[in-house]
Amino acid sequence: TQLLEQSPQFLSIQEGENLTVYCNSSSVFSSLQWYRQEPGEGPVLLVTVVTGGEVKKLKRLTFQFGDARKDSSLHITAAQPGDTGLYLCAGATGGYQKVTFGTGTKLQVIP
Amino acid sequence: NAGVMQNPRHLVRRRGQEARLRCSPMKGHSHVYWYRQLPEEGLKFMVYLQKENIIDESGMPKERFSAEFPKEGPSILRIQQVVRGDSAAYFCASVKGLGDTQYFGPGTRLTVL
């Protein structure tokens, strides 16, 4: 069974602070996605990383895929209240890209 | 996730009743995944279907749960004789083809009384 552990599980920070969320596994994934989910809604895809060592930036969000394609991180610069939500990493494997979701990080950004 | 429709959005059932959850994929998508999410947790894979075919049901409980994706109409996740432990949010995601990005619906929140 593939497991994706996210840390921290909960994070409450002040507006303007920086933060990093980690996603770790002992399994190798062909690609890794990050999603954000708001209460009462489905996950929304933020980014997909495919190549080991790859770094992608989306405005204030920076995503990195580990060299061995087993782990990833999400760094948010100058967090804003609108960043509040549940952040999920998800690793894909296999021919049809079966996705295993991480345990989730619940982020609260206080104005 | 615009375009993937799920209904109902909320469903309340008493123990022993049946729950039928529907998922209409995005236009042009012929593959559907179903996931279950407990409060404050990540999503757990249940089943992957192509039209008229179950590709992978390794995440689905062996009893009481079934899924289908007919040639015409939405994909259906059916839970027979529901129990309190079935209370969760159920999400479907559609993809255009093998290995493509999954787009999620808004989910159905099932509450079993």
Side-chain angles (χ1 to χ4, degrees), chain B residues 76-112:
Chain B
I76 308 269
L77 179 66
R78 184 180 174 206
I79 311 173
Q80 294 178 290
Q81 298 175 315
V82 295
V83 300
R84 287 217 175 105
D86 296 333
S87 294
Y90 292 83
F91 291 94
C92 78
S94 77
V95 296
K96 190 171 186 179
L98 213 61
D100 287 338
T101 298
Q102 297 184 32
Y103 294 90
F104 282 83
T108 292
R109 274 138 195 90
L110 172 65
T111 302
V112 180

Side-chain angles (χ1 to χ4, degrees), chain B:
Chain B
N1 57 357
V4 180
M5 308 286 287
Q6 286 189 252
N7 66 82
R9 291 293 307 272
H10 300 273
L11 183 60
V12 179
R13 284 287 179 266
R14 296 194 179 279
R15 280 180 298 169
Q17 290 184 320
E18 179 181 287
R20 290 170 75 90
L21 287 61
R22 294 174 187 77
C23 169
S24 297
M26 287 179 71
K27 188 177 180 181
H29 287 196
S30 58
H31 302 244
V32 164
Y33 294 78
W34 284 94
Y35 295 87
R36 177 163 63 179
Q37 185 178 37
L38 296 173
E40 310 294 335
E41 291 189 11
L43 281 71
K44 296 287 193 289
F45 167 80
M46 297 182 74
V47 62
Y48 169 50
L49 308 112
Q50 200 176 7
K51 276 196 184 283
E52 300 185 282
N53 248 334
I54 296 176
I55 306 299
D56 182 347
E57 56 182 347
S58 59
M60 199 132 81
K62 294 285 186 283
E63 295 178 355
R64 303 190 297 107
F65 285 72
S66 63
E68 62 176 5
F69 190 12
K71 190 176 179 182
E72 301 291 336
S75 175
I76 308 269
L77 179 66
R78 184 180 174 206
I79 311 173
Q80 294 178 290
Q81 298 175 315
V82 295
V83 300
R84 287 217 175 105
D86 296 333
S87 294
Y90 292 83
F91 291 94
C92 78
S94 77
V95 296
K96 190 171 186 179
L98 213 61
D100 287 338
T101 298
Q102 297 184 32
Y103 294 90
F104 282 83
T108 292
R109 274 138 195 90
L110 172 65
T111 302
V112 180
L113 302 176

